[in-house]
Amino acid sequence: MSAETARRSVRILTWAGLATGVIGGLLIAFPKALAFGGPWVQLALGIATLVLAFRARKAGIAEVPDFDGRLSLLAALLGFAVVFFAGQVAFGILMSAGS
């Protein structure tokens, strides 16, 4: 893969990760936006954010000579926050359903 192709794929992965993270964060801030399956959608968006961010970082470190990974790092941190807060709500739902 050429450096320009790698740079383009890193850019796409990073911005897609940021977009999914922002959507997940907005759903956490406004939990009534989704009437059904809210925490599970948030959890899926957080996991997708993490996957996209770490794929961008891996490709950037390996194939882009002057890679600056601050945006993909921001996406990864956003993904961890979304998974943390959505995971708390999902865990609470599972515990209330079990008892």
Side-chain angles (χ1 to χ4, degrees), residues 10-98:
V10 167
R11 192 175 309 127
I12 290 169
L13 287 169
T14 300
W15 286 109
L18 281 171
T20 56
V22 167
I23 292 169
L26 286 174
L27 288 176
I28 287 173
F30 304 105
K32 301 295 181 189
L34 288 177
F36 181 72
W40 308 111
V41 172
Q42 294 166 0
L43 204 54
L45 284 169
I47 292 169
T49 301
L50 287 173
V51 168
L52 291 168
F54 282 115
R55 284 185 62 118
R57 290 189 65 75
K58 179 183 175 191
I61 291 170
E63 299 178 17
V64 177
D66 56 345
F67 176 65
D68 181 19
R70 289 182 284 185
L71 277 178
S72 59
L73 180 61
L74 176 67
L77 291 173
L78 189 58
F80 281 123
V82 170
V83 167
F84 177 76
F85 289 113
Q88 283 182 335
V89 175
F91 184 74
I93 290 172
L94 288 176
M95 288 295 107
S96 68

Side-chain angles (χ1 to χ4, degrees), residues 1-9 59 63-65:
M1 183 183 314
S2 70
E4 189 57 38
T5 305
R7 191 178 313 264
R8 186 177 322 118
S9 66
E63 299 178 17
V64 177

